[in-house]
Amino acid sequence: MRSSLSGASVAVTGGAGFIGGHLVAALLAAGARVTVIDNLSSGSMDAVRPFIGNSAYRFVEHDITTPIEVAADAIFNLACPASPVHYQKDPIGTWRASVIGTANLAELAARSGARFLQASTSEVYGDPLVHPQVESYWGNVNPNGLRACYDEGKRAAEALLADMARLGLAEIRVARIFNTYGPGMELDDGRAASNFVLQALRGVPLTVFGDGSQTRSLCYVADTVQGLIALMQSDAGAEPVNIGNPSEITMKALAEAIIELTGSQSELSFLSLPPDDPHIRRPDIARARQRLGWQPTIGLEDGLGRMIADFRARMG
Ligand code: NAD
Ligand code: UDP
């Protein structure tokens, strides 16, 4: 991996997704040549349309559960549905993308010498019994519940990558990404932030699951992307690094903030809480601060304002 991205050749799996689209834009802006590999299952060509015609950009429609050969100095592996609605729609496909897809790409990295960054997740901590979540915490995951296809898939991928690093087979980086939001999320993505913004702008009730006391810590997408790039370029090694914003909020407070920021007349509608839904989540980001010199810079009100403007524009 070169120290500068300028002229580097980078593959981004899942590059037509929400975070992937922003990551590709940042990599191209830094002078990298980028190959997006995506099967367009939860992503769409809308995310990559701005890059069409850029000679440094290439799109390959491909499912990572089948091996692929790509020449690259670095591989960002983001290919996996991330919204619970999407990853539970095809749970076996989700598990296969996480486990078999990651194995295929990590083996490509081992063969080619490319540095490999895995988009892992705060879901490896499950419904955490340690708060905030520090990377040394092993987690509390239901291994056969509705979320297991995603959580255990990502945990199995981490296990494989840790062994590949220990055996010296590939240069590995693992980002445990916490809830990310911002412009460009699919309107029907199904996650809390996108649902609430869409519902507030439509003037329909905001669907709060449970009593809304469960917490998440939302990170603006540009901050997440800078964290991923910093990790890829760092000498942090293969140990996982939390990438998230430690500012924690209940889902009820998030819904109320979005009603206020949109000026909506919508009310809250309380629906049943899905099984195994984590009741708290907040990253400890000391490791990211120390090893990457990274921390988030965009506050929730600012970030939600940008997301609301984007949703307004796309809803017409
Ligand atoms: P997303 O669903 O918007 O994007 C995922 C992309 O991967 C889509 O373009 C989809 O078409 C593609 N994809 C899925 N399965 C594939 C396969 N088998 N082969 C090729 N392409 C495939 O999700 P996102 O929010 O952009 O998340 C990106 C990555 O970050 C995921 O790996 C996710 O697990 C991780 N992550 C995201 C968050 C978050 O809050 N967004 C939090 C933690 C981890
Ligand atoms: N949630 C909610 N209303 C929605 C969608 C989600 O109250 O319309 C809740 C969900 O139950 C969870 C939190 O918001 O407690 C975050 O959900 P999301 O799907 O955004 O992400 P994840 O559960 O994967 O953290």
Side-chain angles (χ1 to χ4, degrees), residues 13-21 37-44 47 62-66 77-83 86 93-94 96-98 101 118-123 150 154 175-181 184-186 189 191 219 224 228 281:
T13 75
F18 164 50
I19 298 177
I37 300 163
D38 202 297
N39 69 353
L40 299 175
S41 53
S42 60
S44 93
H62 177 83
D63 188 317
I64 62 162
T65 59
T66 301
N77 182 30
L78 274 65
C80 181
S83 162
H86 286 146
T94 299
R96 287 175 58 81
S98 283
Q118 170 72 352
S120 190
T121 169
S122 54
E123 287 280 329
Y150 183 74
K154 293 283 187 177
R176 287 188 181 154
I177 303 171
F178 282 64
N179 297 65
T180 296
Y181 73 102
M185 287 180 94
E186 292 286 332
D189 177 87
R191 285 177 268 196
C219 191
T224 299
L228 297 179
R281 180 177 294 157

Side-chain angles (χ1 to χ4, degrees), residues 82-85 87 122-123 147 150 179 185 189-196 199 206-210 212 214-216 218 251 254 272-274 277-278 281:
S83 162
V85 174
Y87 73 63
S122 54
E123 287 280 329
R147 297 175 89 98
Y150 183 74
N179 297 65
M185 287 180 94
D189 177 87
R191 285 177 268 196
S194 49
N195 276 0
F196 292 165
Q199 291 159 345
L206 274 62
T207 52
V208 176
F209 299 162
Q214 71 274 28
T215 68
R216 295 294 186 270
L218 298 175
M251 291 304 97
L254 177 67
S272 58
L273 189 67
D277 200 292
R281 180 177 294 157

